[in-house]
Amino acid sequence: MNQFLTPRDMLKKLISFNTVSDRSNLALIDFVEEYLAGLGVTSVRVPSEEGTKASLHAMIGPALDGGAVLSAHTDVVPVEGQNWSQDPFTAWEADGRLYGRGAADMKGFAATVLAKVPDFLSADLGRPVHIALSYDEETGCTGVSPLIEDMLARGPKPDFVIVGEPTRMKVVSGHKGIVVLKTGIQGHPVHSSRLHRGVSAISAAAKLISWLDGKTAENKAEADPDCPFDPPYTTLHCGVIQGGQAHNITAENCEFVTDIRLLPGESVDDWVTAYKSFIEREVLPDMQAISAQCRIDVTEMANVPGLREEDNGKAETVARRLTGDNARNVVVYATEGGIFQRHGLSAIICGPGSIDQAHQPDEFIEIAELDRCAAFLDRLTADLSQIDS
């Protein structure tokens, strides 16, 4: 294997691995592990419970507390139903852009970090560089917590984390959190001409969805005008619903999925408790008064904390110094940054490419963005080399 790949060459290689979240990412992890081993870098796998996927982390530099984690996820979103002009897993270049699934979100950052490993090794680092590659970010950020726990258990403990989601190399210091809930409702079916003897699961769902919409409206009315997020309040949204058997039968079953996008600092547990309390107090008693078999089950499918803006946070301080970006930047989508922060690590989001390209057909990253990221990593390397060991 050619050990000295450019970020462009490395990105083409990473794109060639179909790591859509419903597939294994082990072929990509095999490649990265072999690549690092060829450079004399030992890496650690953190497998999923099923063993079909794995995260990977590695440390370069002195085994001392401090230093930086460079974090990326390896999974990508599906391509089915999208109108791609070429094979999404065979990268191509045109007009200063590199195309392929994951080019922007977020194999571009992972590729640049991996291509810079020889430079990390040749530098006189006073504090280490940690590389962290996770799985299943796109389906709820489920792979990163075991990765972080393994890193921290093995030590040493890093100072800060840079999550390289596409921000055009701007420093993003805050993002909303998300909790995804699946609500399953069992009603009592009867012929609709005898509606009073039945319980419609769809009607119950309508009451719950109305509650969600009402809470969003309340949050909008009470929003802080100085809040930097767009929109500047927590939103509760039903995106998927299915249920019912026929127009003349009260629906026996209904299921819908809700996402709640929370402002940083708000409690997921508080929102889930409020939702369940409304069910138990206002909806379920009337249903069970007709049939004791009626029930409502709420299942948590994802729980990703928001990224809080830190006062004098190490990650933000370093990233602003190295980029020159002193603007207040926040985003409404969720990342693994809040999970690193929940584990006690200072974190920011800063990476190449635009979020506008994420999840799109003919996804691309401008090659100039890869160059900007490489220059940022050069400055980070120099910064870590200036620290007395």
Side-chain angles (χ1 to χ4, degrees):
M1 183 189 301
N2 179 6
Q3 305 294 355
F4 299 100
L5 298 175
T6 67
R8 289 160 67 179
D9 292 336
M10 182 65 76
L11 179 52
K12 291 176 182 179
K13 183 65 178 178
L14 296 186
I15 287 172
S16 72
F17 296 104
N18 183 344
T19 54
V20 171
S21 300
D22 63 358
R23 295 172 176 247
S24 172
N25 73 335
L26 292 183
L28 183 149
I29 294 298
D30 288 343
F31 164 76
V32 173
E33 188 176 62
E34 180 184 352
Y35 167 77
L36 292 174
L39 293 169
V41 177
T42 300
S43 58
V44 178
R45 289 192 186 209
V46 184
S48 64
E49 290 184 5
E50 303 80 9
T52 57
K53 300 180 182 182
S55 296
L56 179 145
H57 63 90
M59 184 184 71
I60 301 166
L64 300 170
D65 286 347
V69 177
L70 304 175
S71 170
H73 61 81
T74 62
D75 59 318
V76 297
V77 297
V79 298
E80 284 75 19
Q82 294 187 332
N83 185 24
W84 285 75
S85 61
Q86 296 189 39
D87 177 7
F89 300 105
T90 301
W92 73 96
E93 292 187 34
D95 302 321
R97 298 171 174 176
L98 195 153
Y99 292 81
R101 173 55 87 218
D105 185 18
M106 60 179 298
K107 291 181 175 179
F109 182 73
T112 309
V113 169
L114 291 171
K116 281 293 177 182
V117 169
D119 292 338
F120 298 151
L121 289 167
S122 64
D124 185 20
L125 294 173
R127 290 292 184 272
V129 171
H130 299 260
I131 297 172
L133 303 178
S134 68
Y135 62 88
D136 283 0
E137 188 270 353
E138 297 289 1
T139 57
C141 295
T142 55
V144 72
S145 283
L147 168 64
I148 298 169
E149 290 162 6
D150 193 82
M151 288 178 61
L152 294 179
R154 293 173 185 270
K157 182 179 179 180
D159 264 347
F160 63 95
V161 183
I162 297 171
V163 180
E165 293 281 1
T167 68
R168 289 196 172 276
M169 298 307 299
K170 294 181 179 179
V171 179
V172 171
S173 56
H175 67 64
K176 286 187 174 183
I178 179 174
V179 59
V180 180
L181 303 175
K182 179 171 69 176
T183 303
I185 304 171
Q186 180 178 326
H188 180 61
V190 298
H191 193 279
S192 61
S193 64
R194 305 179 72 80
L195 185 66
H196 61 294
R197 295 187 177 180
V199 177
S200 169
I202 289 176
S203 293
K207 293 177 182 178
L208 299 181
I209 294 169
S210 178
W211 183 88
L212 297 170
D213 290 343
K215 289 299 178 182
T216 298
E218 289 177 14
N219 293 341
K220 180 179 180 180
E222 298 170 0
D224 180 353
D226 294 326
C227 178
F229 291 93
D230 182 21
Y233 49 87
T234 293
T235 58
L236 300 86
H237 166 250
C238 171
V240 177
I241 187 170
Q242 57 186 5
Q245 295 80 41
H247 74 87
N248 58 353
I249 302 175
T250 57
E252 181 176 11
N253 300 106
C254 186
E255 182 178 278
F256 63 92
V257 180
T258 301
D259 76 14
I260 304 176
R261 305 268 175 171
L262 305 91
L263 294 175
E266 289 194 2
S267 168
V268 167
D269 291 341
D270 286 350
W271 277 110
V272 175
T273 297
Y275 179 53
K276 290 182 177 180
S277 176
F278 177 75
I279 291 172
E280 295 292 335
R281 186 181 66 252
E282 302 293 340
V283 181
L284 197 55
D286 289 342
M287 297 171 64
Q288 292 184 333
I290 295 175
S291 172
Q293 301 303 312
C294 292
R295 57 184 295 151
I296 300 176
D297 298 312
V298 179
T299 304
E300 187 175 289
M301 301 173 65
N303 184 337
V304 182
L307 180 70
R308 305 183 314 278
E309 294 179 286
E310 301 173 355
D311 292 331
N312 300 313
K314 180 72 172 182
E316 183 176 351
T317 299
V318 172
R320 291 197 184 284
R321 183 171 70 246
L322 299 182
T323 62
D325 176 21
N326 292 311
R328 187 185 189 189
N329 303 305
V330 299
V331 293
V332 292
Y333 55 83
T335 79
E336 294 173 334
I339 300 177
F340 278 102
Q341 203 174 56
R342 186 167 64 187
H343 282 81
L345 297 172
S346 176
I348 53 91
I349 315 301
C350 183
S354 170
I355 195 64
D356 293 340
Q357 302 308 319
H359 304 186
Q360 300 302 307
D362 284 356
E363 178 182 349
F364 69 84
I365 190 169
E366 296 169 1
I367 293 170
E369 284 287 299
L370 296 177
D371 294 339
R372 290 179 64 202
C373 183
F376 170 80
L377 294 176
D378 287 340
R379 293 191 291 273
L380 176 64
T381 303
D383 198 67
L384 293 173
S385 299
Q386 294 171 2
I387 300 173
D388 293 332
S389 60

